[in-house]
Amino acid sequence: MDIETLKSAHPAHWKKAAAIRALTLDAVAGANSGHSGMPMGMADVATVLFEKHLNFDPKTPHWPDRDRFILSAGHGSMLLYSLLHLTGYADFPLEQIKNFRQWGAYTAGHPEYGHGAGVEVTTGPLGQGISNAVGFAIAEAHQRAVWGDKIVNHYTYVMAGDGCLMEGISQEAIGLAGMQELGHLIVFFDNNDITIDGHVGIADITDQAARFTASGWHVLSIDGHDPDAIDAAIIAAKADPRPSMIACKTHIALGHAAQDTSKGHGALTDPAQLTDAKQVYDWHYGPYEVPAEVKQQWEDMGTRGQNAHAAWHDRFAKLSDAKQKEFNRAYDLEAPKKLASTIRAFKKQATETLPKVATRKASENVLEVINPIMPETIGGSADLTGSNNTKSSDMGVFSPANRKGRYIHYGIREHGMAAAMNGMVLHGGVRPYGGTFMCFTDYARGAMRLSALMAVPAVYVMTHDSIGLGEDGPTHQPVEHLSMLRATPNTNVFRPADTVETAEAWELALTDTKTPSVLALSRQNLPAVRTELKTKNLTAFGGYVLAEAEGKRSVILIATGSEVHLAMQARDALQAEGIGTRVVSMPCMELFMLQDEAYRRRVLPAGPVRVAVEAGVRQSWDMILMGERGAAKKSAFVGMDSFGASAPAEELFEKFGITAEAVATAARDLL
């Protein structure tokens, strides 16, 4: 549908959509940066969606049963900010639009979760939003089964472009969504044929409609500027039990001199061209000006959502007080009161029986007692359930036939799994965890970084955490991954040494509300090192004294995970020679660095030499080894400085020099 036909056939719609286009042009020109073309091209789809279908309440933006709108093509952020401003979200007054991309504004260059209500998820890295949306849809389907469709019954709508669909993660997401038949997921494909470098055809010839169809989706193709076609497509999508993809044929930068060109993708700031585009729109108002009648029409859309919210609130109020509290507890990410006592009882049993097990098995044992008392947990694995030990016996498998199931078979989709977990947390009401081999944090890295950036407390169960996995060889043996993860802000990396530390790490991961957790777990069996029951969660300190020196303290050995028992053996050898040796277990460096300086100095005092041992590279250890203000004069590291090899685990530790004798020798050499 051409512009003149659209204006004459749908004048009221045109005016509302033009408000999005004009605000976008003004904001991008004011910032002298941004991406104008996508909001201008998808304004018609957004207008129909918000006016006729989306259930949202600007006055109560976190209403649990609202529809979710995710702008996967996050560079087009002015589309989202315009919608939030026009419909009356308090966090997005006109001043925010005028400060687009400026310091301190909620209107960041790409949408950032936590920067104003109405931004459901951080997008910008292409492909993440559509993949998060699969997690949103999984959470909605599960909760609808658990709570009934009078309490949970809503849709997740996504806008994605060619870039999102070219990213490999998108196939992981659409394959999972199609298999799971997530009928409350609707994706609008902004099919404008343009990328930054030029026409899409210079890089991609994929038939996206056929691709989605082959993945089990319901697919429609429409004119993305025809309001009637858009409305009919959404109605059809909602009626189909499959996830739906609506391919919207659009013109990028509609009405501008850069329409249908790669220049239209970016910042359109030329004053004369901006004026000419507004003339095309019949938009005869000043910068950032929206006439009162048009603004009121947009705000009326939010009023409709308020009515839907009120009706839901009446239904929710009919639940028992206990059920209301349970529902709200899960949405508040509040762990049940039973968790602390359950973990204490588990630790008591472990210190009595002193099991020698791999920490991946210890993790499974912890989940067997946690999952029954935390019905909001949803577990999963990227096709490694028997290796990650992530499924407890009570969970049941989430599938189209069993939406109450709490275990997801993600398939070989590490990145998609991590992104879906982010979506589940952001949807609310569930606590997801997912597993793969530690080495494949490489594949999940993009979504794991966004967990940290968004302050999403997803839990990553990463097993086979070192050369200790043995014969599978260096392709599967992580050496740099602990340091890579520790270098990521707002990420807690736990490498527990035995069953007790594993239980404490799980307790911390499931009570955190702002930080993702990585549990780095061993394949090989490890002896118990926590042999006395301590009610206090010592892992919460990040590092603590596991064994004190006898006599004058000359050496401090610091270790994590599978190397803690090596440090204990080295201590025995040094103490036998009269060398007083303290052993510090350091299950979480990040938590240790959060302790006050006095505590850190008590655990790692100046004076004694320090030796750290870990079956990974040294990079993340320097602060611990060197100490604050030069506290440690002499230090050494026993670990990896190369990739691993294929051989039995015991032989690998010997060949790479990660042994109790090597640790003791390093300490002697420093004295």
Side-chain angles (χ1 to χ4, degrees):
M1 182 176 289
D2 64 78
I3 290 176
E4 292 308 316
T5 302
L6 181 55
K7 285 195 290 188
S8 60
H10 302 278
H13 163 87
W14 174 260
K15 204 75 170 179
K16 289 190 285 284
I20 296 173
R21 295 179 171 116
L23 284 173
T24 294
L25 285 169
D26 289 336
V28 171
N32 199 34
S33 75
H35 299 80
S36 311
M38 184 272 181
M40 295 163 71
M42 287 296 281
D44 295 305
V45 175
T47 300
V48 173
L49 174 63
F50 272 66
E51 183 170 20
K52 296 189 175 182
H53 295 279
L54 195 76
N55 277 325
F56 66 103
D57 182 358
K59 303 300 182 187
T60 314
H62 301 296
W63 161 39
D65 200 36
R66 69 193 181 279
D67 289 335
R68 272 66 167 180
F69 174 67
I70 295 172
L71 186 67
S72 189
H75 55 274
S77 58
M78 266 310 302
L79 175 68
L80 177 58
Y81 301 148
S82 296
L83 291 165
L84 297 176
H85 166 66
L86 290 167
T87 54
Y89 281 76
D91 286 338
F92 291 90
L94 191 59
E95 204 60 31
Q96 286 288 336
I97 305 299
K98 291 179 178 179
N99 282 288
F100 178 54
R101 289 183 159 230
Q102 304 309 301
W103 176 265
Y106 285 162
T107 47
H110 294 85
E112 294 187 35
Y113 175 73
H115 288 203
V119 180
E120 299 284 2
V121 61
T122 295
T123 55
L126 294 176
Q128 291 292 332
I130 188 173
S131 306
N132 298 149
V134 175
F136 277 78
I138 288 172
E140 189 274 340
H142 174 70
Q143 290 183 317
R144 182 157 28 101
V146 171
W147 292 95
D149 59 11
K150 291 183 178 180
I151 303 302
V152 178
N153 188 6
H154 55 264
Y155 288 83
T156 299
Y157 296 96
V158 185
M159 283 190 180
D162 291 293
C164 289
L165 301 190
M166 277 191 250
E167 290 285 359
I169 188 176
S170 70
Q171 183 57 41
E172 297 185 25
I174 70 170
L176 179 61
M179 185 278 295
Q180 287 288 358
E181 299 176 17
L182 299 174
H184 283 209
L185 174 61
I186 299 174
V187 173
F188 301 98
F189 167 34
D190 180 17
N191 185 17
N192 60 37
D193 290 324
I194 296 297
T195 66
I196 293 174
D197 280 357
H199 191 277
V200 167
I202 67 173
D204 189 49
I205 59 168
T206 302
D207 183 336
Q208 296 294 355
R211 175 188 172 211
F212 275 80
T213 300
S215 298
W217 287 57
H218 170 227
V219 176
L220 305 103
S221 296
I222 63 169
D223 179 342
H225 300 298
D226 181 344
D228 292 335
I230 297 165
D231 184 33
I234 297 172
I235 291 171
K238 290 163 82 172
D240 197 281
R242 296 167 292 177
S244 292
M245 188 274 267
I246 303 173
C248 306
K249 196 65 183 172
T250 61
H251 296 283
I252 198 169
L254 181 75
H256 192 277
Q259 177 180 317
D260 298 330
T261 70
S262 59
K263 181 175 173 55
H265 172 88
L268 304 179
T269 59
D270 181 270
Q273 292 181 348
L274 187 154
T275 299
D276 290 346
K278 287 187 176 182
Q279 289 295 322
V280 172
Y281 300 157
D282 292 333
W283 194 262
H284 308 298
Y285 312 102
Y288 304 105
E289 183 181 352
V290 177
E293 66 273 16
V294 175
K295 183 67 164 66
Q296 187 60 56
Q297 289 169 356
W298 275 104
E299 290 184 2
D300 288 345
M301 300 178 198
T303 302
R304 174 179 54 78
Q306 290 171 31
N307 295 333
H309 175 206
W312 175 85
H313 189 272
D314 290 342
R315 297 192 298 272
F316 184 75
K318 293 177 182 178
L319 295 177
S320 68
D321 288 347
K323 286 187 175 181
Q324 289 184 44
K325 287 179 181 177
E326 180 66 8
F327 185 91
N328 290 330
R329 179 191 65 76
Y331 266 85
D332 291 340
L333 292 173
E334 180 185 326
K337 290 186 173 67
K338 286 183 180 179
L339 180 62
S341 60
T342 299
I343 294 295
R344 282 197 300 272
F346 182 89
K347 286 165 58 177
K348 182 175 186 295
Q349 182 186 41
T351 53
E352 290 171 350
T353 58
L354 302 179
K356 183 178 181 179
V357 295
T359 49
R360 62 171 176 156
K361 179 61 178 177
S363 172
E364 180 184 39
N365 294 339
V366 177
L367 290 172
E368 285 288 352
V369 299
I370 286 176
N371 283 333
I373 66 164
M374 289 191 73
E376 67 268 31
T377 56
I378 292 183
S381 170
D383 198 49
L384 289 167
T385 296
S387 294
N388 299 147
N389 294 19
T390 39
K391 186 176 184 293
S392 61
S393 57
D394 65 305
M395 300 189 86
V397 174
F398 177 84
S399 70
N402 181 24
R403 295 302 196 201
K404 291 184 178 180
R406 295 163 54 202
Y407 192 81
I408 299 173
H409 290 291
Y410 286 103
I412 303 89
R413 300 183 177 103
E414 296 89 353
H415 202 179
M417 173 181 72
M421 287 164 56
N422 284 339
M424 283 184 242
V425 177
L426 293 171
H427 175 278
V430 294
R431 296 282 312 223
Y433 65 86
T436 185
F437 287 172
M438 182 75 174
C439 199
F440 302 140
T441 52
D442 285 339
Y443 286 165
R445 167 67 178 162
M448 294 178 74
R449 181 176 188 267
L450 284 171
S451 298
L453 181 61
M454 293 188 289
V456 165
V459 183
Y460 296 98
V461 183
M462 299 301 180
T463 69
H464 297 59
D465 68 342
S466 75
I467 59 171
L469 70 87
E471 291 86 345
D472 276 349
T475 58
H476 286 53
Q477 292 167 1
V479 292
E480 74 273 32
H481 299 74
L482 287 166
S483 288
M484 178 264 289
L485 290 164
R486 287 170 180 154
T488 306
N490 193 42
T491 299
N492 286 336
V493 182
F494 295 95
R495 191 165 185 249
D498 68 358
T499 294
V500 171
E501 283 195 354
T502 303
E504 291 180 338
W506 266 112
E507 181 179 23
L508 295 168
L510 292 175
T511 52
D512 204 309
T513 61
K514 296 292 183 184
T515 302
S517 297
V518 178
L519 274 62
L521 306 174
S522 74
R523 175 184 184 268
Q524 71 274 31
N525 289 340
L526 305 179
V529 296
R530 288 278 294 278
T531 57
E532 295 181 15
L533 177 62
K534 302 288 185 183
T535 302
K536 189 176 290 187
N537 186 322
L538 298 184
T539 300
F541 295 98
Y544 62 92
V545 178
L546 177 65
E548 187 52 280
E550 297 173 12
K552 180 185 177 183
R553 187 192 307 119
S554 300
V555 174
I556 300 178
L557 306 179
I558 316 159
T560 74
S562 53
E563 287 69 70
V564 172
H565 80 278
L566 295 182
M568 292 292 282
Q569 291 173 351
R571 174 185 179 274
D572 290 343
L574 292 167
Q575 286 288 170
E577 299 168 21
I579 301 172
T581 303
R582 169 186 282 188
V583 173
V584 171
S585 179
M586 187 69 66
C588 183
M589 285 185 186
E590 295 77 24
L591 292 182
F592 182 72
M593 297 311 296
L594 289 177
Q595 307 307 311
D596 60 47
E597 184 177 353
Y599 175 80
R600 296 196 303 269
R601 284 179 173 272
R602 284 199 303 274
V603 175
L604 298 176
V609 301
R610 299 181 186 183
V611 178
V613 54
E614 184 174 75
V617 298
R618 172 175 173 142
Q619 188 169 349
S620 54
W621 278 94
D622 282 346
M623 174 62 81
I624 302 298
L625 283 172
M626 304 306 294
E628 299 163 79
R629 306 178 192 174
K633 302 298 183 187
K634 295 181 179 180
S635 63
F637 178 74
V638 176
M640 299 293 293
D641 58 10
S642 68
F643 293 111
S646 177
E650 296 82 358
E651 186 176 359
L652 288 170
F653 276 95
E654 182 179 346
K655 294 293 187 183
F656 285 104
I658 305 175
T659 63
E661 180 54 33
V663 175
T665 297
R668 293 187 196 101
D669 289 346
L670 293 172
L671 291 173

